[in-house]
Amino acid sequence: MTESANRMEIGISTFLEATPDPSTGVVISHAERLRNAVEEIVAADQAGLDVYGIGEHHRADYAGSSPAVVLAAAAAMTKRIRLTSAVTVLSSDDPVRVYQSFSTLDGISNGRAEIMAGRGSFIESFPLFGYDLSDYDELFEENLELLLAIRASEKVSWRGGHRPAIDNLGVYPRSVQNPLPVWIASGGTPQSAIRAGMLGLPIAFAIIGGMPESFAPLVQLYKRAAAKAGHDPDKLPIATHSHGFVADTTDHAAELFFPPTQAQMNVIGRERGWGQPYSRASYDAARSLRGALYVGDPEYVAEKIVLLRKNLGVTRFFLHVNVGTMPHREVLRAIELLGTKVAPIVRKELARDGSGD
C-alpha cells in the first residue's frame, strides 16, 4: 500500500446543524452557525486534524447550502487541513459550477480542496432546483460523468439527456491539484461501491447505525470492482463518516451528546416514518465498542477507530460532531481532543501493529 493510502487520516464532518437547543428551545441563527464553522475549521487545523467536511443541505435546520463558500472563508486562515464537501448533492447541481467552486477553493487553499459527490439523504434540492425525483439515478450518473470529464480536460465536449450539451468549451479556473480529488459518498449500497471501484475513485461510507464491521463485504466489493477495472485497490483511499463526540470523560461526552442527538433523530424519524422514538437504550448500545456512535473520552474513541481500521481497512475517519446543535465551546473542545489526543493514540497503535504510520 502506498504511504498516502496507508496513512490514517482523521477529521471532522458537519451539516452545519441549526437545530433547537433541546433544553431551552433556542435556535442558533444560520449566520452564527456559519461563523462558528469557520472558527471550527481553524481550530481543527491548529489541532493537527487532516480534513474538515461540510455537507450540502437545503432546509431550515441546516446552514450548509454552500459548502465551498464556507470552506473558502476558512481556507486563507488555515495551513494544512484538507477542505471537502460531505457531500455535494451532485444529482441536483451543475457539474460545471461544482468544478468551478471547488477549483476556486483549491486555488485559495493552495491545493487542499476535495469534492465528495453523493446523492444525499434528503430530497429538498430537487424541487428547489427544478429536478424530477424520478430522474434521481440518471442525473447522478450523467453529472458524475461530466464532472470527471471537466477535471480531466481544460476543454470539454459532452452531451447528455438532462443538461445542454457542451461543445469544446473551457472550464475555469483550473485546479491546483491535478486531478482535483473526487470521492464517491455512499450510504451503503452495493451499486455505489461498484461504481466507485470501477471508476477508480476513493469512497466514503456513511456508517450511522448498526455495526461498522458489517460494511466489510461492501469494502471487498469495492476493491474487487476496482481490480477488475484495472485499478490497484491498495492505492485507493477509503473513508467512513460516523456520528460522535469527544470530551474529557466518557460520562460527560455521553450525557452532553445524547439530548441533541435524540431530538434530531426523532425529527428525522418522524419525517421518514421510523416508528419508535430514539431511546437512551438505543444510544447506549450504539456507543458500545462495536457500535456506530463514537462517543467517549479520547482513549475510548481512539480504541473504536483502531477497531474500525482493523475491520474495514479505512484510511480516513470523519467524526460527525453536530448531529443536533451542540454548544460551540464544547465542539471546539471536542475538536481539540480529537486532534491532540485521539489522533496520536490511533497512529501510535496502528504503527505498533504495522497497519499505519
Side-chain angles (χ1 to χ4, degrees), residues 1-334:
M1 195 179 273
T2 64
E3 181 180 352
S4 60
N6 192 43
R7 185 175 186 272
M8 185 67 179
E9 296 180 323
I10 296 176
I12 294 286
S13 63
T14 179
F15 296 157
L16 301 189
E17 287 86 345
T19 49
D21 183 296
S23 58
T24 67
V26 174
V27 180
I28 187 173
S29 72
H30 288 167
E32 184 178 355
R33 185 65 192 94
L34 291 166
R35 294 192 298 270
N36 285 352
V38 174
E39 188 176 348
E40 290 167 15
I41 299 168
V42 173
D45 187 55
Q46 294 172 345
L49 288 171
D50 297 288
V51 60
Y52 190 101
I54 296 176
E56 175 194 345
H57 292 84
H58 301 271
R59 45 187 284 157
D61 46 358
Y62 300 108
S65 64
S66 300
V69 176
V70 185
L71 296 169
M77 294 185 282
T78 54
K79 291 181 168 50
R80 60 174 297 275
I81 194 165
R82 299 192 67 76
L83 306 166
T84 183
S85 57
V87 302
T88 294
V89 185
L90 194 58
S91 298
S92 58
D93 210 339
D94 186 324
V96 173
R97 293 301 284 159
V98 170
Y99 179 85
Q100 289 174 330
S101 295
F102 283 88
S103 63
T104 298
L105 172 62
D106 205 43
I108 294 171
S109 65
N110 194 26
R112 292 184 281 128
E114 299 182 5
I115 300 169
M116 191 184 295
R119 289 179 283 189
S121 58
F122 294 94
I123 61 173
E124 287 81 7
S125 62
F126 285 83
L128 185 63
F129 297 118
Y131 292 100
D132 191 330
L133 269 175
S134 65
D135 298 325
Y136 187 87
D137 293 322
E138 192 173 304
L139 280 165
F140 182 80
E141 292 174 6
E142 282 197 3
N143 287 354
L144 180 60
E145 178 186 275
L146 178 53
L147 178 63
L148 296 178
I150 292 168
R151 79 163 186 167
S153 175
E154 178 179 334
K155 294 289 183 73
V156 179
S157 294
W158 182 89
R159 185 175 300 275
H162 296 277
R163 187 201 185 280
I166 302 175
D167 184 15
N168 195 36
L169 297 177
V171 180
Y172 306 102
R174 304 306 298 176
S175 62
V176 173
Q177 300 174 90
N178 186 20
L180 180 66
V182 174
W183 292 63
I184 297 295
S186 171
T189 65
Q191 294 85 352
S192 293
I194 292 169
R195 177 190 290 113
M198 290 180 65
L199 293 171
L201 296 176
I203 192 166
F205 293 106
I207 304 179
I208 59 174
M211 293 187 294
E213 64 199 60
S214 68
F215 276 68
L218 285 172
V219 171
Q220 293 307 313
L221 187 64
Y222 166 70
K223 290 185 174 183
R224 287 197 301 271
K228 186 175 180 180
H231 308 290
D232 184 349
D234 289 335
K235 292 182 179 179
L236 293 176
I238 300 172
T240 60
H241 146 107
S242 292
H243 299 157
F245 197 75
V246 190
D248 291 284
T249 70
T250 291
D251 285 346
H252 183 56
E255 295 307 312
L256 195 65
F257 197 58
F258 174 66
T261 298
Q262 181 187 44
Q264 185 69 350
M265 295 298 283
N266 283 339
V267 167
I268 296 172
R270 286 192 296 271
E271 291 177 359
R272 301 183 181 182
W274 286 350
Q276 294 297 320
Y278 189 74
S279 68
R280 181 61 192 247
S282 296
Y283 175 76
D284 289 337
R287 289 195 300 114
S288 67
L289 188 61
R290 295 171 66 192
L293 273 183
Y294 291 71
V295 177
D297 62 22
E299 291 76 17
Y300 184 62
V301 173
E303 183 182 6
K304 291 194 65 163
I305 296 173
V306 169
L307 181 63
L308 177 74
R309 167 71 170 229
K310 291 178 178 177
N311 285 338
L312 300 185
V314 300
T315 59
R316 175 183 283 186
F317 173 79
F318 286 98
L319 182 72
H320 188 99
V321 171
N322 294 97
V323 175
T325 303
M326 297 287 295
H328 182 49
R329 66 184 181 278
E330 299 284 1
V331 171
L332 291 175
R333 178 59 176 163

